[in-house]
Amino acid sequence: MKEVQVSGSIASHCSISGMETESRIQNVQEATSQDQSTSSPELTPNRRTQTCCFCWCCSCSRIPPPKRPDEVRLPTAKDAITLHDIKPDDIPSAEEVRHWRDSFDKVMQSCTGRQIFREFLRSEYSEENMLFWLACEDLKNEVDKRLVEEKARLIYDDYISILSPKEVSVDSRVRELINCSMANPTTQTFDEAQLQIFTLMQRDSYPRFLNSQVYKRLLQ
């Protein structure tokens, strides 16, 4: 008789845990929709329309752009995982989410934290900052010299060239250093640019993320 009661108690506890997980997922999904619907159009960056950049990547240099081999692929907006796609087991605990408030580093050190913050950046039309940061991390881990050169060129075309719609905001000094190093790129070519973008996200987007409905719902 006692064994039956214990089994019933365990089943009840599992049922409650499952309901709590489903409730947290639903809260996060609702918060995502709310944040995206209230995003200000003023956050949309002005896209440049220059026809010539007078730099390494320019089409007027008469050097055809390198073809992208199948094995070289950088993170793109299509790869962004939405909060609706996060599995129940990957939903962070409220305690982990509270630690994200301690520092921006805590968010970036968490795989789920990066995914959720990336989704928040998408709602602010600045997802290219995270994509660039991730691409630089991927480049740092590459050991094949040929792939290092290919990935560096793709990063330049996608995020540094002023002709790119996903151009990130780096200062002229860093941009010039990158232009000069593109003749022989290395895994450290974009280190200073990556640091500037990290700092930009930390100072600009991170405080708004902490005040967003997504973050507040995750705390529940």
Side-chain angles (χ1 to χ4, degrees), residues 10-212:
I10 294 175
S12 176
H13 176 72
C14 292
S15 176
I16 293 174
S17 298
M19 293 174 62
E20 290 178 349
T21 300
E22 292 179 0
S23 177
R24 294 196 71 211
I25 295 174
Q26 183 177 2
N27 286 338
V28 172
Q29 293 174 349
E30 292 174 355
T32 304
S33 300
Q34 183 174 349
D35 277 346
Q36 292 178 341
S37 64
T38 57
S39 295
S40 171
E42 296 178 357
L43 294 173
T44 306
N46 293 326
R47 299 306 184 186
R48 301 175 185 264
T49 58
Q50 289 92 332
T51 57
C52 183
C53 62
F54 300 102
C55 66
W56 173 88
C57 71
C58 186
S59 58
C60 64
S61 64
R62 298 181 182 179
I63 299 177
K67 295 183 179 180
R68 302 191 176 194
D70 295 336
E71 68 271 20
V72 178
R73 185 173 181 273
L74 299 178
T76 66
K78 294 182 179 180
D79 298 324
I81 185 170
T82 65
L83 295 182
H84 300 74
D85 296 329
I86 297 178
K87 299 178 181 180
D89 292 342
D90 293 334
I91 294 293
S93 65
E95 181 179 1
E96 179 183 355
V97 175
R98 280 193 294 270
H99 285 312
W100 294 351
R101 186 175 287 276
D102 295 342
S103 70
F104 184 54
D105 287 321
K106 294 288 181 66
V107 177
M108 298 297 280
Q109 290 168 2
S110 166
C111 180
T112 305
R114 291 193 301 270
Q115 293 172 349
I116 295 175
F117 184 66
R118 177 175 170 177
E119 183 70 13
F120 171 76
L121 291 180
R122 174 189 285 185
S123 73
E124 291 204 329
Y125 304 97
S126 58
E127 185 187 10
E128 64 272 7
N129 290 331
M130 178 63 81
L131 293 173
F132 171 70
W133 188 89
L134 291 172
C136 290
E137 287 296 292
D138 178 64
L139 178 64
K140 289 178 181 179
N141 295 324
E142 185 57 66
V143 294
D144 187 307
K145 188 176 185 300
R146 182 179 65 86
L147 292 182
V148 166
E149 293 179 354
E150 291 292 346
K151 288 184 176 182
R153 293 178 190 278
L154 297 185
I155 291 175
Y156 187 98
D157 288 344
D158 287 345
Y159 303 109
I160 302 300
S161 170
I162 64 174
L163 298 179
S164 172
K166 296 184 294 183
E167 177 196 0
V168 296
S169 179
V170 295
D171 63 38
S172 58
R173 180 188 65 83
V174 170
R175 188 180 299 276
E176 182 61 26
L177 287 175
I178 293 174
N179 286 340
C180 293
S181 67
M182 285 308 297
N184 186 29
T186 69
T187 56
Q188 288 81 42
T189 293
F190 303 99
D191 281 1
E192 288 198 55
Q194 185 186 23
L195 179 59
Q196 285 193 357
I197 296 304
F198 180 92
T199 303
L200 175 64
M201 292 189 293
Q202 182 181 35
R203 294 179 178 176
D204 186 47
S205 302
Y206 174 59
R208 290 197 296 272
F209 170 69
L210 295 180
N211 290 321
S212 69

